[in-house]
Each structure stands twice: as C-alpha cells, then as structure tokens.
Amino acid sequence: QVQLVESGGGLMQAGGSLRLSCAASGRTFSSGAMGWFRQAPGKEREFVAYMALSSGSTYYANSMKGRFTISRDNAKNTVYLQMNSLKPEDTAVYYCAAREGNTYSVYPRSYDYWGQGTQVTVSS
C-alpha cells in the first residue's frame, strides 16, 4: 500500500517562500511519476507540477513556471515543491500524488495515490 504524507504548509505573506514535502512509503522511487496539485475553496483541483521518476523530467502549470520547483530526494523517498514569490491566489490545499505510469498527465484521475493535503495560505 502506497502512502503519501505532505508537510510544510502554513501561512506566508505575499512574496515569501515555502517548501512542501511529500514523503512516500510502499513504493519504489525509480519508476512512475509524482505530481503536485492544489485545490482552492469552491474550485476544482488543478495541476501544479509533475516529475517522471525514471528520467527526472519535470513539467509545470504555466502560472507556476519560474516560481515553483519540483525536486526529489531518492534516499529519503521524498518529493518537494519549492514555492517562491508566493501570491494570494496561491492559497489552496496542496496535494501530492503518485501514478504507476510515467506518461505526463495534468489530470487528477490519472494518479493512483494521494496524500491528505497541506494548507497553504498567502496573505496580501
């Protein structure tokens, strides 16, 4: 059974930075893919970032390019989301997700496992 546990969320002023962590257990970190999504109140869950674990290839939603960075630590079985230049519109619950396949996907339904989410609140 794959388990994903996010941490690192919190309250930050606009322009600040946060680093989210997603610790994975029950799966190898050499295959498949990991993604970060977010969901604001009253909105659908949206794609943030993706990493193919075998190649390390990354993709980002357009609004996050240049501000957010997905990375990993294989020894710790952990994926990170570094978020810089935060904006109030970045306020949401952030989820990490894992999928068995490594084809790039922005759709939540393509992911097999989900964490419980961590709240990020950015004040203006």
Side-chain angles (χ1 to χ4, degrees), residues 3-7 21-25 96 114-116:
Q3 290 189 325
L4 304 174
V5 180
E6 301 100 332
S7 61
S21 300
C22 174
S25 61
C96 73
W114 291 84
Q116 82 287 351

Side-chain angles (χ1 to χ4, degrees), residues 41-90:
K43 295 188 176 182
E44 293 187 352
R45 193 166 296 189
E46 67 170 339
F47 168 75
V48 173
Y50 165 96
M51 174 180 278
L53 295 177
S54 57
S55 67
S57 297
T58 58
Y59 298 93
Y60 299 91
N62 286 337
S63 61
M64 288 76 165
K65 285 180 182 177
R67 298 193 301 126
F68 291 8
T69 303
I70 186 171
S71 63
R72 62 179 169 175
D73 184 331
N74 288 347
K76 295 182 178 180
N77 265 16
T78 299
V79 172
Y80 303 98
L81 183 70
Q82 178 68 42
M83 304 186 296
N84 299 328
S85 301
L86 284 165
K87 305 174 182 180
E89 51 263 43
D90 293 320

